[in-house]
């Protein structure tokens, strides 16, 4: 909520919401990193800008580890830190 401006209900309604808020100039590289992380089940790390709910730029650091969710999908357990 403090970083992105979205409450828990909004995030649960659209699980891709946080990914969609990556700054457009960095989206392609983040999507590539997500795919690489998912394919190898390897650590995902990224430092870059996002646009929060109010279109304010914030810089974040993401560190996460993917794992199979048991239903054919992947979940990432991790931490997002505001480094603005």
């Amino acid at each position: 909520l403090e970083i992105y401006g979205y409450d828990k209900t909004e995030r649960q309604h659209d699980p891709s919401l946080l990914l969609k808020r990556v700054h457009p100039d960095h989206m392609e590289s983040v999507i590539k990193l997500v795919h690489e992380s998912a394919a190898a089940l390897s650590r995902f790390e990224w430092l870059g800008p996002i646009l929060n709910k109010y279109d304010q730029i914030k810089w974040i650091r993401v560190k996460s580890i993917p794992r199979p969710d048991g239903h054919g999908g992947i979940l990432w357990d991790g931490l997002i830190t505001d480094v603005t």
Side-chain angles (χ1 to χ4, degrees):
L1 180 63
E2 290 179 25
I3 296 173
Y4 284 89
Y6 294 102
D7 65 30
K8 183 178 179 180
T9 303
E10 291 171 300
R11 293 188 316 266
Q12 288 176 335
H13 180 71
D14 182 0
S16 66
L17 182 63
L18 303 185
L19 181 59
K20 291 176 185 176
R21 301 306 296 175
V22 169
H23 192 280
D25 292 346
H26 296 262
M27 183 61 77
E28 187 176 325
S29 64
V30 170
I31 296 294
K32 181 181 176 192
L33 289 171
V34 168
H35 285 282
E36 290 171 356
S37 175
L41 290 179
S42 60
R43 179 181 301 264
F44 174 84
E45 293 188 22
W46 182 69
L47 170 67
I50 57 109
L51 297 168
N52 70 9
K53 183 177 183 175
Y54 312 103
D55 289 331
Q56 298 167 320
I57 294 176
K58 292 196 174 223
W59 279 76
I60 62 169
R61 179 181 314 270
V62 181
K63 292 185 177 190
S64 62
I65 300 172
R67 63 178 169 87
D69 70 359
H71 302 286
I74 298 174
L75 296 174
W76 277 264
D77 297 314
L79 179 68
I80 299 172
T81 307
D82 184 345
V83 294
T84 302

